[in-house]
Amino acid sequence: MKTILLVDDSATILLSISGILTKAGHAVEKAANAAEGLKKFSGATKIDLLITDLNMPGMNGIDFIKEVRK
């Protein structure tokens, strides 16, 4: 089972995509913004795939990915 991190400021998007991925047999971690996503990404759980929104308040998706890659 792969673990997927979803980062999006829309609760509706997080709920719908996580439901689809969970039904497909994946473990899903959710974050409502980039700062929360960074905490979850650097946590104890190994993240196999990251799906992020590009347009978020604060840190956008591109800057979030740059931080994850550091």
Side-chain angles (χ1 to χ4, degrees), residues 1-7 17-18 20-31 37 39-52 64 68:
M1 173 175 16
K2 300 291 182 178
T3 301
I4 300 171
L5 174 60
L6 297 176
V7 183
I17 294 177
S18 67
I20 291 166
L21 294 171
T22 301
K23 285 180 183 177
H26 301 288
V28 178
E29 293 286 328
K30 296 179 279 187
K39 287 180 187 175
K40 292 199 178 221
F41 194 83
S42 62
T45 304
K46 179 184 176 262
I47 303 298
D48 298 297
L49 176 68
L50 169 66
I51 300 174
T52 185
F64 172 65
V68 166

